[in-house]
Amino acid sequence: PVLGTPNGERGRAIRRAMSLAFNEAWARRKLYNDRLDSLQGILVPEFPEYDPDFTNPWKKRPDETREQALERARGLLADAGYPGGEGIPPIYYEVTDSVTDSQFYAVLRRDMAEIGIDLRATRVTWTQMMKRIDQGDAQMWGVAWTADYPDAQNFLALFYGPNKAPGPNGASYENPAFDRLYARALALPPCDERTELYRAMQEIIVEDCVWIFKYRRVTYDLLQPWFHNFKRSALQDRYGKFVWVDSEEREQTAASWNQPVLTPLWIGLALVAVVLAATLWGARRRVRAW
C-alpha cells in the first residue's frame, strides 16, 4: 500500500525518488573498490537487444551532482504530497544475518534519510527472506540475478504478471501493457521486431521503477600458467570437464619459481661466526686460565 500499485502515482514517485537517492558513486568506491559496471536497465551489453544509448532517468546523470539528484528526488516527493518525506510511513528492508548485508543496509538507510525516508530493518535469515518474498510479506529487499540461459527473456520474465510470487517475479509486478508485449515476444525468434519489444518492455520497467537498478559486480579469476582452456561463465559452473593441466609445464614452472636462495643461509652462518668469535674473544679477556 505504500510502494506498490495501491498507492498509484504516489507510490511510483516514492520508488523513483528512492532510486535517485541511492548513492552509487559512494558504493562503488567504498564497498566495491571500483569493481562495478553501472546498470541502466534490464538489458545488459551481452544481449543483442541492448541499447547503448538508453539511459535511466531515475538514476543520477553523469552531468549532475549528487545534490542535484537529491533535489530531483525531493521534488518528486513534494509533488506527490510528501514534502521532505512527511507522510511516508517507515519502509522495511529485508536484512539477512550477515555482516555484509548489514553494512549494505546501513549505507542504503543513510541514503534514504537524505530525502526524508525512514528505512528500517527486518532481520531475517536468507531462507526466511525467500519465504517472505514468496508469500508477499516483504516490502523491500536486495538481490542479484544471474541468467539461466543466454537470452534477455530470462531477465524480462522477472516482471511478467503471471510469474508473480511465489514465482520469479518476487515484486509481484503486474502491468497489462508489459504483459502484452512479453506474450508477443515469446512467439518470436530473434529479430528486429523482438528487439523493439524487448526495448519497449525495458522502458516500461524503468518508468515504473519496479527495481532500483544498481550495478553489476566485476569478478576476477587467478589462474596458474599451466591451467589451460578455462573460460569463466556465469551461466554454468561445469567448465571443469573442458580444462586441463600441463603437468610438465607445471613442474618446470614450479622448479623455476622455487630455486633455492642461499644468500640468507650464508648471512646467517656469517652472523653465527661473528657471534661465536666475539664470545670467545670476550671469554679469553675475562678468564686468564685460557
Side-chain angles (χ1 to χ4, degrees):
V2 178
L3 295 174
T5 304
N7 205 12
E9 288 298 323
R10 302 179 86 198
R12 185 160 69 165
I14 297 173
R15 298 194 300 272
R16 289 174 171 178
M18 295 180 77
S19 179
L20 282 166
F22 170 63
N23 193 343
E24 180 180 326
W26 191 95
R28 173 186 290 273
R29 293 192 308 272
K30 303 296 185 179
L31 300 180
Y32 285 101
N33 197 28
D34 281 331
R35 295 195 297 269
L36 294 176
D37 285 336
S38 189
L39 190 65
Q40 298 295 316
I42 201 66
L43 300 179
V44 296
E46 286 81 357
F47 297 134
E49 297 84 7
Y50 171 72
D51 181 2
D53 297 324
F54 177 78
T55 56
N56 188 328
W58 312 117
K59 290 173 69 82
K60 187 184 85 66
R61 298 189 303 265
D63 64 342
E64 69 180 344
T65 65
R66 165 75 176 157
E67 188 54 40
Q68 288 172 330
L70 290 174
E71 282 304 311
R72 279 208 290 147
R74 296 179 185 121
L76 286 169
L77 295 181
D79 292 343
Y82 301 119
E86 293 180 13
I88 302 176
I91 293 173
Y92 288 87
Y93 187 89
E94 305 287 306
V95 183
T96 63
D97 52 350
S98 75
V99 174
T100 300
D101 223 25
S102 295
Q103 291 172 336
F104 283 19
Y105 158 70
V107 172
L108 189 62
R109 187 174 191 274
R110 177 204 62 192
D111 293 346
M112 297 306 113
E114 292 195 69
I115 59 172
I117 289 179
D118 181 12
L119 198 65
R120 300 186 184 180
T122 300
R123 300 286 177 175
V124 289
T125 64
W126 175 264
T127 303
Q128 289 171 333
M129 183 177 78
M130 292 295 101
K131 183 176 181 180
R132 285 171 54 78
I133 292 171
D134 286 345
Q135 294 175 341
D137 294 331
Q139 189 176 20
M140 188 176 180
W141 59 93
V143 291
W145 183 270
T146 298
D148 300 296
Y149 46 90
D151 194 295
Q153 185 267 339
N154 187 238
F155 289 100
L156 294 165
L158 305 178
F159 304 91
Y160 186 44
N163 288 343
K164 66 182 180 181
N169 178 5
S172 292
Y173 173 67
E174 289 186 277
N175 184 316
F178 178 91
D179 292 347
R180 284 193 297 270
L181 296 178
Y182 183 87
R184 283 176 56 193
L186 280 180
L188 295 173
C191 60
D192 291 343
E193 182 182 358
R194 196 183 74 163
T195 295
E196 293 178 6
L197 293 175
Y198 277 14
R199 291 180 177 181
M201 282 186 274
Q202 175 173 250
E203 290 187 9
I204 292 173
I205 294 165
V206 168
E207 282 301 305
D208 274 348
C209 218
V210 189
W211 291 0
I212 295 176
F213 288 100
K214 296 169 73 177
Y215 35 63
R216 304 175 70 198
R217 290 166 290 188
V218 177
T219 59
Y220 293 90
D221 293 295
L222 301 179
L223 308 176
Q224 299 287 12
W226 56 78
F227 190 66
H228 299 284
N229 212 34
F230 172 86
K231 183 176 178 63
R232 163 67 62 187
S233 171
L235 297 181
Q236 54 86 28
D237 58 2
R238 296 187 179 92
Y239 43 76
K241 69 178 184 178
F242 300 109
V243 302
W244 60 281
V245 172
D246 187 327
S247 299
E248 183 178 349
E249 182 181 1
R250 179 179 183 274
E251 292 174 1
Q252 292 175 352
T253 306
S256 68
W257 286 351
N258 292 284
Q259 291 293 327
V261 180
L262 300 179
T263 303
L265 175 62
W266 296 122
I267 293 175
L269 290 175
L271 289 174
V272 170
V274 169
V275 171
L276 182 60
T279 302
L280 292 173
W281 180 77
R284 289 180 63 86
R285 287 175 58 85
R286 289 176 173 76
V287 182
R288 293 183 179 277
W290 286 26

